[in-house]
Amino acid sequence: WAGARRAGVRFAIIKATQDGDMVDGAFRDHLSAARRAGVDVLGAYHFLINPKAKGGHKRSAADQAEFFVRTVRGANGGTLDGLIMALDVENLAARGSSPSLADVRAFARRFRQLAVDDRPLVLYTSPGKWGRFKGARIREAMGDRTYLWMADWRPAVIRSRGFGGLKPIMHQHGPSPIVRHRGRIVDGNTSDLSVTELRRYTQAIPKAEPAP
């Protein structure tokens, strides 16, 4: 992480959980080490699994949201504050684990209930993966404070396209040219936003108290 920061890394989104009971074994260590190294903006993501997937643990999308929130709070001093919270939606047809649009909706709904305040939720997916949902609008499926982290490895469209009604706040463009981990490729991401602007996506808006 110190080497990554020296090489110019300013933000990183770290895998926290997958399915209903898998915690990435390095999540806490990565989070702590990235903070010590001075990486400016950090986040955590959950890899959503279709509850009917082959080899899956049959946990509902709502249960997966609960697991994600609980795990991140436990690793982050009991709070979600200071982290970009992201949902990874991919198409893994070979395992039958591609989430349905209903799964995405259920995860987002439960996440927002548990987050208490009006907290941003960032969707990581690609045009092709989201395209399975036949033109579904992202915010209609996931709520108003949903933002796009776009995976698109075609250089010509890294900064020029969005989908599902949103333009991306972050772009995954291929293997990182500056970071490897234990000899393995790390996905490279960029953003056209400043560090200050990215930090806004780590902050919740307190919900207004009902009028007396």
Side-chain angles (χ1 to χ4, degrees):
W1 283 102
R5 182 64 190 88
R6 286 193 299 271
V9 171
R10 306 297 301 274
F11 71 93
I13 315 298
I14 302 166
K15 184 173 183 177
T17 51
Q18 177 173 314
D19 206 331
D21 62 0
M22 196 214 92
V23 179
D24 189 293
F27 174 56
R28 283 177 179 265
D29 290 343
H30 281 319
L31 198 58
S32 296
R35 282 182 170 143
R36 288 195 303 271
V39 178
D40 298 277
V41 182
L42 294 173
Y45 77 87
H46 175 80
F47 192 98
L48 185 62
I49 295 289
N50 187 318
K52 299 178 182 178
K54 299 173 184 176
H57 297 287
K58 312 304 181 189
R59 303 294 176 89
S60 71
D63 286 345
Q64 291 182 52
E66 292 180 16
F67 180 57
F68 177 49
V69 169
R70 183 171 64 250
T71 299
V72 174
R73 280 182 172 146
N76 193 50
T79 182
L80 304 181
D81 291 341
L83 295 175
I84 292 174
M85 299 292 284
L87 175 63
D88 184 345
V89 175
E90 300 199 25
N91 182 10
L92 299 177
R95 287 189 56 206
S97 61
S98 302
S100 68
L101 187 58
D103 294 329
V104 174
R105 284 196 179 106
F107 182 99
R109 185 182 307 114
R110 186 59 179 145
F111 172 85
R112 296 189 187 286
Q113 290 171 346
L114 295 167
V116 182
D117 290 327
D118 189 5
R119 184 171 299 279
L121 180 60
V122 174
L123 171 69
Y124 168 88
T125 194
S126 70
K129 292 163 187 171
W130 191 259
R132 295 184 298 110
F133 301 141
K134 300 179 180 179
R137 309 290 279 183
I138 291 170
R139 284 184 174 160
E140 288 175 9
M142 299 179 63
D144 288 341
R145 293 201 77 201
T146 304
Y147 304 92
L148 178 61
W149 171 15
M150 184 173 76
D152 195 329
W153 291 27
R154 296 169 292 175
V157 298
I158 286 174
R159 291 179 173 84
S160 63
R161 287 186 54 191
F163 53 88
L166 295 180
K167 293 289 187 180
I169 63 168
M170 298 182 291
H171 316 80
Q172 187 172 104
H173 51 74
S176 170
I178 57 176
V179 179
R180 294 179 73 86
H181 177 60
R182 296 177 180 171
R184 296 183 179 181
I185 290 172
V186 174
D187 291 328
N189 296 272
T190 59
S191 178
D192 293 333
L193 304 181
S194 68
V195 165
T196 298
E197 289 169 327
L198 272 180
R199 282 193 179 125
R200 294 174 186 164
Y201 299 95
T202 72
Q203 301 167 359
I205 299 173
K207 290 183 179 177
E209 293 293 328

